[in-house]
Amino acid sequence: MATFLYRLGRFSFRKRHVVALFWVALLALAGAGAAGAPAAGNSSFSIPGTEAQKAFDLLEERFPGASADGATARVVFKAPDGEKMTDPGNKSTVLETVDELSGGAEVARVTDPYRTGGVSQDGTIAYASVTYKVSGMELEESTREALEAAGEDARDSGLTVEIGGDALQAIPETGSAEIIGIGVAAVVLVITLGSLLAAGLPLLTAIVGVGIGVATITALASTLDLGSTTSILASMIGLAVGIDYALFVVSRYRAELAEGREREEAAGRAVGTAGSAVVFAGLTVVIALVGLSVVNIPMLTKMGIAAAGTVAVAVLIALTLIPAVLGYAGRRVRPAGEKSKLLGGGRAKDKADRPNMGSRWASFVVRRPLAVLLLGIVGLGAAAVPAGSLELGLPDDGSQPTSTTQRRAYDLLSEGFGPGFNGPLVVVVDAQGSDDPQAVFQQAGDEIKALDNVVNVAPAAPNKTGDTATITVIPDAKPSSVTTENLVHDIRAAGADLKADTGAEVLVTGATAMNIDVSQKLNDALLPYLVLVVGLAFLLLIVVFRSILVPLKAALGFLLSVLAALGAVVAVYQWGWLSGLMGVEETGPIMSMMPIFMVGVVFGLAMDYEVFLVTRIREAHVHGEKPSQAVVTGFRYSARVVTAAAVIMIAVFSGFIGSSDSMVKMIGFGLAIAVLFDAFVVRMAIVPAVLALLGAKAWWLPKWLDRALPNVDVEGESLAVHDRAADKDDEDKELVRA
């Protein structure tokens, strides 16, 4: 591995024009594809294997033309103080709005609130439901504008008008904080590398990689049904790892220059050593992201694969484009320890024997490993406590900021019709084959009415053939409550009894039931996912480190990090701690996809730091240093760079906290805090403490396994052998000349 990458690095440095042209052409090709592709919208949401999805599919089959998957909107009207929605003037305005909305080319139907019971008991609030022929992703912008214009016209008459539903769902924006995150990354790179040019290289190459990845996702968004969130998450992860991977290669290049090597040789050495760590670190991230497919939620699978593709591009760029750009930079990238003239350069680099901050910290940990280990575990354990109160759910209009019309429509409906009105349950009764379907429909409705926490049960609405009907159930509690979840389970239990008596099948669907099923599916998939991803990465790390205990320690440290990060997410987004600082306007259940997505991404990133840090320690150990001294040496050469990489990742992820999308906002915070815990507590404190306590036993590997494992040579031992052979050849030549 090291020899191959060494040759690749030298080739890329020497043939820099070819390599640079290849990546520029690839970026241009992806950009052209993105420019000609339709804009990404919101990905269609399907959950194979769930009852809610089965009922949804049955609706499409038995109720053709009903636009079961079409976008919806609720136009909510509130009368001025002292007036009713049934007053002639207000009623006239509502009916005019209904007529105006009915004329849209993509509109399937619009309900008249005065005929469908859409007026509250006190008469102050009414709503009209709009169903469209296409999904929210496919709606024309003109259709959205017509919906908003109809609401504005009604407001001009003096009514309060708000619009809810997915028809107005906007493509999320990340805000200016993302730019601030990149700015922080730039400052950290300048401080770490001591040169504006050297600092600009990781930023430049990372942006190229993210540009290729995001442009490719945009180009394929319509074909592969990729939502707008997919490209945002891919850019988030791709930008972070792209900067980090490039930073490690550039840092190693400068270290090789400081050893006195020629620039082409230094580029080859940097790619052969740091590049090997980049390859295996990238592999762990890719495994974690692609492993999301085991959950069998298409949207999550697509997000994971898209982000994994962006990470793969970042790895390839670090191995090829970075040495090529270093070739262009020439002597303007200085050896480690030297600064550019602009930053106070011209002074001699620090003496080689002077301990830096990393080696001083490692020496402290090695002297007091048990105290550091206990303090780190107790601290992360305390941060993880809130995770015990974790409640999962999926966002609805009730989780939107109060400044949005969707949230105000949600609140008006809750005020006029009760909180459960925002999350109606759709019960599908399949009586095909029954002797008396109408009697079955009536029995199903009666049994549901008898259940607790039910406000209203609408009469059964059969299809044209009369063998299937839908029954709309209004719960007593809001959609994200445990009470509503229990009601869904109660209806399904009653349906099982009805099937035993009549043979008819009763299925519960609707957005609320779908959210409940998604949460359950994700909970069930978490353990298999952990076993798969951690197991594969564990085997990979055994190959990299040629040890059993080091990979085991890495996996356990990751579990501590992710639990502590989940605790922080619960404290902020569910309990409301520091909610104002984080821009959280509405606390509530944690998004169902958050834990499993965070587990996947954080595991990959945690292994990044593990590989970069511990390979340096193992390199020192392989070259003959004692275990405790190897820890200090490894930290001397890698702690500064790993710290910088972690700060960069935290800055990039934190930038996404400013997103308008609640999922992106939450994931940005979760990943930032997880990197903080993992890099600075687990990898910088717990890892050296454990290695110091284990000593030489940390590198124990059964002899039979040692013989069976392939030698990937991450430490670059083959390059050291090459050096010794070259030195011997030089000595022989000198003897011959003598």
Side-chain angles (χ1 to χ4, degrees), residues 670-714:
L671 293 182
I673 199 72
V675 170
L676 177 68
F677 288 148
D678 193 85
F680 293 104
V681 181
V682 175
R683 309 303 154 189
M684 287 292 177
I686 293 178
V687 165
V690 171
L691 290 177
L693 289 171
L694 291 175
K697 295 177 183 177
W699 309 107
W700 171 81
L701 187 70
K703 291 183 179 180
W704 64 268
L705 185 57
D706 188 35
R707 291 191 297 269
L709 291 177
N711 184 13
V712 296
D713 189 23
V714 176

Side-chain angles (χ1 to χ4, degrees), residues 27-292:
L27 178 61
L29 183 64
N42 297 295
S43 176
S44 58
F45 195 76
S46 63
I47 313 295
T50 60
E51 180 175 318
Q53 186 64 46
K54 183 179 178 182
F56 185 81
D57 295 339
L58 186 64
L59 282 174
E60 289 192 317
E61 175 189 340
R62 303 286 176 84
F63 291 82
S67 302
D69 62 343
T72 59
R74 275 179 170 175
V75 183
V76 187
F77 308 87
K78 183 176 183 180
D81 292 341
E83 297 183 18
K84 302 285 187 182
M85 289 305 304
T86 51
D87 293 347
N90 294 335
K91 184 175 181 179
S92 175
T93 300
V94 172
L95 294 178
E96 288 175 5
T97 304
V98 170
D99 288 340
E100 184 178 349
L101 290 170
S102 300
E106 293 183 313
V107 175
R109 60 186 173 277
V110 183
T111 63
D112 179 348
Y114 300 101
R115 294 183 179 180
T116 58
V119 181
S120 62
Q121 287 186 351
D122 62 5
T124 60
I125 296 174
Y127 74 93
S129 293
V130 187
T131 304
Y132 294 89
K133 299 174 184 177
V134 296
S135 66
M137 176 180 170
E138 299 167 318
L139 274 181
E140 296 287 344
E141 189 60 34
S142 58
T143 301
R144 291 192 176 92
E145 291 173 356
L147 175 61
E148 292 175 328
E152 193 61 41
D153 291 342
R155 288 190 190 99
D156 291 341
S157 68
L159 295 176
T160 298
V161 183
E162 305 295 347
I163 305 172
D166 62 350
L168 289 183
Q169 197 165 18
I171 294 176
E173 299 175 355
T174 53
S176 59
E178 180 184 354
I179 299 175
I180 296 174
I182 296 176
V184 172
V187 172
V188 173
L189 286 170
V190 170
I191 295 173
T192 304
L193 299 177
S195 165
L196 291 175
L197 179 64
L201 296 183
L203 279 175
L204 173 65
T205 55
I207 290 171
V208 170
V210 169
I212 292 172
V214 172
T216 303
I217 292 169
T218 303
L220 299 174
S222 180
T223 304
L224 301 180
D225 190 24
L226 302 176
S228 54
T229 305
T230 303
S231 60
I232 293 177
L233 295 176
S235 66
M236 178 196 302
I237 297 168
L239 189 62
V241 300
I243 294 174
D244 279 7
Y245 294 166
L247 170 61
F248 283 111
V249 175
V250 172
S251 298
R252 188 62 185 249
Y253 171 77
R254 296 179 70 236
E256 295 294 337
L257 289 179
E259 294 291 329
R261 304 190 192 281
E262 294 296 326
R263 294 187 177 273
E264 183 179 328
E265 177 69 12
R269 295 272 172 169
V271 176
T273 52
S276 297
V278 166
V279 169
F280 285 98
L283 271 176
T284 58
V285 180
V286 169
I287 287 172
L289 291 170
V290 174
L292 291 169

Side-chain angles (χ1 to χ4, degrees), residues 615-631:
T615 48
R616 266 296 196 169
I617 296 173
R618 176 168 170 75
E619 184 177 340
H621 179 67
V622 167
H623 292 161
E625 293 190 10
K626 294 181 179 180
S628 58
Q629 183 57 40
V631 171

